[in-house]
Amino acid sequence: MRTPTGGDAHDDNVDGVDVDGVDAVAAALAAKYAAAVAGVASAEAEVMAVLAEAQAVGLERVAEIPRSAGREAELPLRALAAELGACARQPDRSVQRRMNDAHTLVNRFAASFEALAAGVVSVGHVRAIVEHGVKLTDPEVRASFEVEALERAASTTPGRLGPQLARLVEQVQPTTFAERHQVARKSGGVWVRDVEDGMTELLLRGPAVPVHGIHDMITHIARDVLNTAHAAETADAAAASAAGTGEPAADAAAAGGAGGAGGAGGGIVDSRTLDQVRADVLMEMVLTHRIDTETGEGLGDGHGGLASIRATVNVTVPALALAGVTDDPAELVGRAPIDLDTARILAKSVPGWERVLADPITGGVLAVDRYTRSADLTRHLRVRDPHCRFPGCRMPTHRCDMDHGEDFALGGATDHRNLCALCRRHHTLKGETPWRVKHHPGGVIEWISPGGLHYTDTPPPVTIGFIPDVEDAPF
């Protein structure tokens, strides 16, 4: 990086740029930015040090539990992760995963951790080093790999570093690629991650060939759909031109094709990008097990087979929005907001609905009933608790247990004042660790951590709306 020199540079400097082409302002900003990034790296190292310490404490407590305890042996780690997550307002599952990652970094990649603390490398660099280096089980081999990796990290970005490290690991691996691939296949899976504006990502991890094959297949189909739309537009333009000039439609079509689709027809009918059509193709194929590349049937509306969904999905839709009076968004309960068009398509396939009456001031649930019969406790709780009631947890209610705050065997009542939805993870946390729960009026839940801290979880407000009638709810 070139830096401004001293002396009388201000005499030939206009708006921070001198006659020699040195932008003093840009250089100063770059230096400030680099310093700030280094500060962020140092702060991240402090966070990881705390998380690694927490993991070490948890592992010590786990070691004190008899081996016969089975899955209960993990509870000390869960309890600690919940303590840290609740205090920092972060999901405890994420905290527990980061505790493990930080412990690996601090104890197996000490040089990388020190470089991060010094601000020499970023978190992205460190993640790449750990991701590839953790495959090396020999400490000496791993240490030599880390030295080379840090040297490369000093001169490139995390994105470019990853492929370099993959090749470096391949050179020092004691086992063949084929042997490692057989092990790696066991880590395959499919995950869902909710993002902003009612969108969700479907993540697939599997062998490279079939996964790339899937991508290639839906790309070919998506291109066929767009080409069909292009051909139809060209034909329409040719027909319109022929009608206006009297020349044969075939000649007009040829002229239109030579000039592109941007003539009388104003461009391709289907204005979606290839990526957008790919997404619609995949959803249509998975949900309906069919695809029509000639007509693009099921793809034109961009909803990708929504009408074919028959799974147990709990969607809350404001009544006035469902009727088209307001634009209030619907919600895929416990997961993410969804657009009203999607909600209306799902509503058409639901056999029955429940009416929810809410307090007009607080939004709290007052009653849940149906037109044909009165509400019962299960419906009331399913509406009041759209997701697990541990602070920060968004596990949908249909995947949760209904837990007694005060144990039923000890006299706890089975009513809405003593019940709440807890996912299996937090249900176990409450029952098997020092975490405690208190129920307060209005469905407010107070959690008391092993460290003596108090966290309040309040039911989300509910407007007058409708939710699907699900008779076979698991609770």
Side-chain angles (χ1 to χ4, degrees):
M1 177 189 296
R2 298 182 63 189
T3 58
T5 59
D8 298 326
H10 64 280
D11 293 334
D12 54 4
N13 183 293
V14 179
D15 292 333
V17 181
D18 68 18
V19 294
D20 293 327
V22 175
D23 189 338
V25 172
L29 287 173
K32 288 182 180 179
Y33 180 70
V37 169
V40 170
S42 298
E44 286 283 355
E46 292 183 20
V47 172
M48 292 185 182
V50 175
L51 292 172
E53 182 182 358
Q55 179 77 358
V57 171
L59 291 175
E60 289 176 359
R61 295 178 178 179
V62 168
E64 298 172 355
I65 299 176
R67 292 183 178 274
S68 60
R71 293 183 61 184
E72 295 179 4
E74 188 195 9
L75 291 177
L77 285 170
R78 288 191 187 182
L80 264 178
E83 182 84 57
L84 271 61
C87 187
R89 299 180 300 281
Q90 296 176 339
D92 59 298
R93 288 181 178 86
S94 298
V95 171
Q96 186 173 350
R97 183 175 63 253
R98 294 187 64 196
M99 284 166 52
N100 182 70
D101 293 343
H103 189 265
T104 298
L105 172 64
V106 171
N107 291 277
R108 299 176 64 184
F109 296 88
S112 298
F113 175 72
E114 292 174 1
L116 180 67
V120 176
V121 296
S122 70
V123 172
H125 291 105
V126 169
R127 285 175 180 163
I129 292 172
V130 174
E131 176 186 353
H132 294 281
V134 76
K135 303 170 187 175
L136 302 172
T137 57
D138 187 317
E140 293 184 1
V141 174
R142 187 169 62 244
S144 62
F145 160 84
E146 188 177 14
V147 170
E148 176 68 19
L150 287 172
E151 290 180 0
R152 299 189 183 193
S155 59
T156 190
T157 63
R160 290 186 176 183
L161 180 63
Q164 295 181 28
L165 298 186
R167 291 191 292 271
L168 180 60
V169 167
E170 185 63 30
Q171 295 171 5
V172 299
Q173 277 280 17
T175 58
T176 66
F177 176 82
E179 292 171 336
R180 298 195 307 277
H181 178 69
Q182 290 302 315
V183 175
R185 289 177 68 97
K186 298 177 182 178
S187 66
V190 178
W191 303 268
V192 168
R193 184 178 70 176
D194 296 315
V195 292
E196 69 281 353
D197 300 328
M199 301 295 285
T200 297
E201 295 177 345
L202 180 68
L203 309 176
L204 166 65
R205 178 185 175 91
V209 172
V211 171
H212 279 286
I214 292 172
H215 186 268
D216 185 62
M217 180 180 66
I218 62 176
T219 297
H220 280 295
I221 295 175
R223 283 179 177 151
D224 285 345
V225 171
L226 289 177
N227 289 339
T228 299
H230 184 195
E233 173 65 6
T234 301
D236 290 344
S241 176
T245 63
E247 65 177 312
D251 295 340
I268 299 174
V269 174
D270 196 330
S271 61
R272 290 172 297 170
T273 66
L274 182 62
D275 278 340
Q276 291 170 336
V277 179
R278 260 196 295 249
D280 288 337
V281 165
L282 182 59
M283 288 186 289
E284 181 72 15
M285 293 179 69
V286 173
L287 293 173
T288 68
H289 309 291
R290 64 174 177 78
I291 193 72
D292 190 338
T293 59
E294 294 297 325
T295 65
E297 181 182 351
L299 297 174
D301 57 8
H303 289 296
L306 280 175
S308 302
I309 293 179
R310 290 296 183 272
T312 300
V313 178
N314 192 357
V315 177
T316 298
V317 189
L320 295 180
L322 190 62
V325 178
T326 69
D327 294 325
D328 296 332
E331 181 184 7
L332 182 60
V333 174
R335 304 305 298 175
I338 60 175
D339 63 283
L340 284 176
D341 288 340
T342 296
R344 292 187 180 110
I345 291 174
L346 293 174
K348 294 178 182 178
S349 63
V350 175
W353 291 83
E354 295 173 340
R355 184 175 61 182
V356 181
L357 302 180
D359 187 300
I361 305 298
T362 66
V365 177
L366 298 178
V368 181
D369 63 21
R370 302 169 70 191
Y371 293 110
T372 56
R373 52 182 173 180
S374 62
D376 60 23
L377 182 59
T378 299
R379 299 192 187 96
H380 179 94
L381 293 170
R382 192 163 73 237
V383 174
R384 190 198 70 185
D385 299 350
H387 48 66
C388 172
R389 296 298 305 280
F390 186 84
C393 185
R394 296 279 292 172
M395 184 66 71
T397 299
H398 68 268
R399 296 181 183 174
C400 293
D401 302 325
M402 280 298 159
D403 175 69
H404 288 75
E406 182 181 358
D407 198 326
F408 179 78
L410 300 178
T414 304
D415 61 31
H416 67 277
R417 291 165 295 187
N418 190 47
L419 288 171
C420 70
L422 294 181
C423 69
R424 190 57 53 86
R425 174 187 178 88
H426 293 125
H427 192 172
T428 303
L429 188 75
K430 168 185 170 291
E432 303 296 336
T433 74
W435 277 88
R436 292 182 292 131
V437 166
K438 287 186 178 180
H439 286 249
H440 296 284
V444 175
I445 307 296
E446 179 184 5
W447 287 83
I448 305 170
S449 77
L453 300 179
H454 294 244
Y455 303 95
T456 299
D457 187 75
T458 303
V462 179
T463 58
I464 298 177
F466 297 90
I467 64 170
D469 172 19
V470 182
E471 292 291 350
D472 58 346
F475 50 81

